[in-house]
Amino acid sequence: MITCDTLVYKIIDFYGFKLTASGIIFSMCYLISTITTEVYGYKKGVRIIWIMLLCQTFYVVAINSAAIVQRHNNEVAGHYHELFHEFWRVMVGTWISVPASYFCNSFVISKLKIFFLGRLFIIRYMVSAMTAQAVLLITAYPISLSGKYSFGELLNILASTWSYKVLISFILFPIGIYLVGVVKKYEKTDFYDWGISYNPLKAFSEDKKLN
């Protein structure tokens, strides 16, 4: 995820479609989050999200602080400041978008697993990916990229990157279904979230009774 944070400013123009370089990395992160929730359940998946969020915050604060200190010291420091002096926007976007999108992803995977009784993983995987990617882009990019691109360019980036990420998620599906099978076999577990609390603030507490 900190790789994604670093790549968020890099836009690749592909035949008129503007894509962020972080797109494929985000899709891989969602894949790992999906596998975690599918095998170990919603709460363990959310615990990882909270830890990831804290690590991202530390990273962004460190980069932003380094960028604004002695920015006139030399030419390299000036370029570093120019690129990362507003990196705090990524942190604000992270605190809003990462919990919203990843909690959404874990929630959808968990609920659909119960609804389909563990079947039709491709439907559960794609629905969660499409929903979570949309939540991420709508909450993060207007904060991270506003002022750097025009409104029209921002809409282009949002639509193109969402389509791109959904396509990458579909391409990664065979890897996902393989890893889910391997991990379930190795761990000898297949967790269903019957009767749990979906409050992400209670992720580190244990339910007194699980059905």
Side-chain angles (χ1 to χ4, degrees):
M1 285 301 297
I2 62 176
T3 303
C4 295
D5 290 340
T6 309
L7 293 175
V8 70
Y9 289 151
K10 177 62 178 179
I11 304 298
I12 300 173
D13 197 322
F14 185 74
Y15 294 102
F17 295 98
K18 296 184 183 296
L19 310 171
T20 58
S22 60
I24 188 170
I25 306 298
F26 264 117
S27 298
M28 293 173 65
C29 291
Y30 277 124
L31 176 65
I32 295 172
S33 177
T34 297
I35 293 171
T36 302
T37 303
E38 173 73 15
V39 177
Y40 301 106
Y42 175 81
K43 279 201 167 186
K44 285 188 172 62
V46 170
R47 290 174 188 176
I48 293 176
I49 295 168
W50 280 123
I51 294 170
M52 177 179 68
L53 186 62
L54 290 175
C55 292
Q56 281 185 274
T57 301
F58 174 79
Y59 173 76
V60 173
V61 169
I63 294 293
N64 207 142
S65 299
I68 63 179
V69 172
Q70 297 184 352
R71 66 178 189 236
H72 301 300
N73 194 37
N74 52 54
E75 185 179 358
V76 174
H79 291 316
Y80 201 86
H81 174 266
E82 182 180 358
L83 181 60
F84 290 116
H85 74 283
E86 290 187 337
F87 209 41
W88 59 268
R89 289 175 177 268
V90 175
M91 183 177 69
V92 174
T94 292
W95 271 99
I96 297 173
S97 63
V98 170
S101 60
Y102 274 90
F103 293 157
C104 174
N105 183 67
S106 295
F107 178 81
V108 172
I109 282 292
S110 175
K111 283 295 189 179
L112 289 183
K113 183 176 183 179
I114 295 174
F115 181 79
F116 288 114
L117 298 178
R119 299 187 296 268
L120 302 176
F121 180 66
I122 185 170
I123 294 178
R124 297 185 281 121
Y125 170 76
M126 289 307 301
V127 169
S128 65
M130 293 169 67
T131 305
Q133 298 281 16
V135 171
L136 175 77
L137 294 174
I138 292 172
T139 54
Y141 280 23
I143 297 174
S144 300
L145 302 179
S146 61
K148 297 182 180 296
Y149 298 94
S150 67
F151 180 72
E153 287 177 321
L154 185 58
L155 288 180
N156 187 324
I157 292 171
L158 286 170
S160 300
T161 304
W162 181 83
S163 302
Y164 168 67
K165 287 183 176 183
V166 170
L167 176 61
I168 292 297
S169 296
F170 181 76
I171 293 173
L172 290 174
F173 172 74
I175 299 175
I177 192 68
Y178 171 76
L179 290 178
V180 164
V182 169
V183 176
K184 284 182 178 180
K185 181 179 179 180
Y186 180 81
E187 294 283 9
K188 295 181 174 58
T189 185
D190 188 10
F191 199 89
Y192 285 76
D193 293 311
W194 300 106
I196 70 161
S197 169
Y198 282 95
N199 184 346
L201 298 178
K202 296 182 178 180
F204 289 92
S205 65
E206 297 295 338
D207 290 302
K208 296 181 179 179
K209 182 179 179 180
L210 293 175
N211 294 329

